[in-house]
Amino acid sequence: MKRLACHVLALMTLAAPTLAAEDLTVGFAIAKSGWMEAYDTPAATAAMIRIEEINAAGGLLGRQIKVVEADTRTDRAESAKAGLDVLDHGAEMMVVSCDYDFGAPAALVAEGEGINSFFLCAEDVKAGIQGVGPNSFSSSVLASVQGATMAEWAHARRNARTAYVLEDTFIEYNKGICTGFNWMFPQLDGAGIVGSDTFKNDDASIASQITRIKALPEQPDVIMLCSVMPGAAAAVRQLRAAGITSLILNGSAVDGSYWLEATPDLSGFVVPVQGSIYGDDPRAEVEMFNKAYEAKTGGRPASQYAYPGYVLIDLWAKAVERAGTVDGAAVTAELEKMQDEPTAFGPRSFSSELHHQNTALMQIIEITGGKPARVDEWRISEPVPLDVLMGR
């Protein structure tokens, strides 16, 4: 009887079908409606491109990556609900909105479950350890790094020695750009900030600020404009209309040509970006991505904000493979070991203190005669310190 039972068991074992590994589920709790959709959709599309590449190459840990999505509607309360929704659908990692304020509620849901979250393109230091917890990351480049890059590049390449800082108080991102510039520029040989001012993004006029700039003994070499659309375009138009010819610097948020009709024949406007959308990036991988994005959507990326979505999936997948699991703490440990980890858009690093980029190789885009083009690249000489990032 015992031998018969063993024989039957053996036959059952041979006859049992081999079960395929279950899909690995990534949840996207992002804005599919509201104003944040313009930022989230390109980055999410880029993330999907990398997921498709990984699946085509055999998947992750022998599992295909499946995506579930929920709409935050660009609403903080809905963000938390979206996080819960994708968890209910089996999410083992969560991708959240580009902006800290709108992505954090969903990321906090992920943190409560001990799973990793990645902000699509957030550039506020709080979008990570400082504002969410130890399993939260962003692959994008901090706003303060963008400001510091503009300071050091303008000093070295355009002989800038005097600067006027004009800060739009609309969102924390703008403050971050100015923080980085204000930290770096005065450290540079012979450089100084000769004045500063603020304005609101929806101000119809910045005439009083322009009056104060024109009252200076000499026009500043550069104006550090820390702003986003639509206020940035309005400010640039008014500065040039007033006859101010200083080189105008800004952050990555104003990358793209979509707004240039508002400032005809603009020249002398410079921004740092993670990669060029204009077909002139020196890295072949960047243009390969631009073409893949065009094939998927029918158009090239409108700005550099698609790129961090691709990078975040790439880095997370590498960490998962090295950890051999999707467990949040194990993946976090592998991510924190990454120092100058190669990606298509430049090296990325994380540490146990910072889950953001406090230095990065940036491509420099300058607008001349209304046409943007890559003119240089720059990596700041030292990382932005954590106390500066935290505004201490």
Side-chain angles (χ1 to χ4, degrees):
M1 179 66 75
K2 184 176 180 181
R3 290 178 62 188
L4 178 61
C6 290
H7 181 65
V8 171
L9 181 60
L11 288 174
M12 289 173 64
T13 301
L14 288 171
T18 303
L19 296 176
E22 291 183 1
D23 290 339
L24 192 163
T25 304
V26 174
F28 281 70
I30 61 173
K32 299 171 74 66
S33 56
W35 67 266
M36 273 298 299
E37 185 272 338
Y39 290 92
D40 284 7
T41 291
T45 299
M48 302 298 181
I49 290 172
R50 186 67 188 115
I51 287 171
E52 289 168 4
E53 291 174 350
I54 292 169
N55 282 341
L60 188 57
L61 301 181
R63 301 161 66 186
Q64 291 288 288
I65 301 174
K66 180 179 76 173
V67 170
V68 295
E69 298 180 277
D71 187 6
T72 68
R73 301 184 176 88
T74 312
D75 181 277
R76 292 176 178 85
E78 292 295 328
S79 175
K81 292 178 184 177
L84 290 168
D85 187 35
V86 297
L87 274 182
D88 287 344
H89 285 83
E92 297 164 88
M93 191 275 270
M94 194 181 301
V95 178
V96 303
S97 276
C98 272
D99 180 72
Y100 166 72
D101 291 323
F102 292 95
L108 286 165
V109 170
E111 193 67 36
E113 294 297 316
I115 69 173
N116 293 111
S117 65
F118 264 91
F119 286 79
L120 276 170
C121 57
E123 294 167 351
D124 182 335
V125 69
K126 295 189 294 298
I129 299 172
Q130 285 71 23
V132 177
N135 296 309
S136 187
F137 293 80
S138 175
S139 69
S140 201
V141 179
L142 286 162
S144 293
V145 175
Q146 298 166 31
T149 298
M150 286 289 84
E152 201 170 58
W153 177 85
H155 179 270
R157 294 289 197 255
R158 298 299 169 85
N159 201 35
R161 296 297 181 267
T162 59
Y164 197 93
V165 177
L166 192 54
E167 181 183 329
D168 171 0
T169 59
F170 176 43
I171 54 175
E172 286 294 306
Y173 168 82
N174 298 339
K175 178 181 177 182
I177 303 171
C178 281
T179 295
F181 186 89
N182 291 340
W183 165 72
M184 177 64 84
F185 197 71
Q187 298 183 62
L188 304 174
D189 185 39
I193 295 172
V194 297
S196 62
D197 222 326
T198 62
F199 70 104
K200 295 179 180 178
N201 192 269
D202 58 358
D203 281 347
S205 170
I206 59 166
S208 58
Q209 293 89 337
I210 287 173
T211 296
R212 288 188 281 275
I213 294 172
K214 297 190 76 170
L216 294 169
E218 294 182 358
Q219 280 196 25
D221 295 327
V222 295
I223 294 174
M224 184 68 242
L225 177 64
C226 309
S227 185
V228 295
M229 297 302 165
V236 169
R237 183 173 61 250
Q238 292 175 67
L239 287 164
R240 289 294 188 248
I244 295 173
T245 58
S246 305
L247 187 69
I248 302 174
L249 314 172
N250 208 329
S252 304
V254 294
D255 180 37
S257 59
Y258 61 92
W259 60 277
L260 293 178
E261 288 184 4
T263 54
D265 300 317
L266 175 64
S267 290
F269 185 90
V270 183
V271 297
V273 297
Q274 296 173 54
S276 175
I277 64 174
Y278 307 106
D280 52 8
D281 198 292
R283 299 162 297 186
E285 302 95 329
V286 174
E287 189 56 23
M288 285 173 61
F289 170 83
N290 291 336
K291 290 178 178 177
Y293 188 95
E294 185 175 16
K296 188 172 182 65
T297 67
R300 291 170 67 87
S303 82
Q304 65 113 48
Y305 279 99
Y307 300 148
Y310 187 92
V311 174
L312 79 86
I313 295 295
D314 188 52
L315 294 174
W316 173 74
K318 287 179 180 177
V320 168
E321 289 284 3
R322 292 168 190 176
T325 177
V326 293
D327 174 73
V331 174
T332 290
E334 291 300 326
L335 285 164
E336 289 177 349
K337 293 176 186 176
M338 291 181 175
Q339 296 299 310
D340 285 337
E341 185 75 26
T343 81
F345 301 96
R348 295 289 183 268
S349 301
F350 298 114
S351 72
S352 59
E353 290 187 333
L354 188 65
H355 289 177
H356 268 279
Q357 307 309 303
N358 62 350
T359 181
L361 178 68
M362 304 296 284
Q363 303 302 308
I364 307 301
I365 304 296
E366 182 167 6
I367 297 172
T368 304
K371 297 186 181 301
R374 177 194 177 275
V375 295
D376 205 352
E377 64 184 27
W378 196 265
R379 183 167 183 163
I380 52 176
S381 57
E382 60 178 305
V384 182
L386 186 58
D387 61 344
V388 173
L389 295 174
M390 296 301 294
R392 298 178 189 139

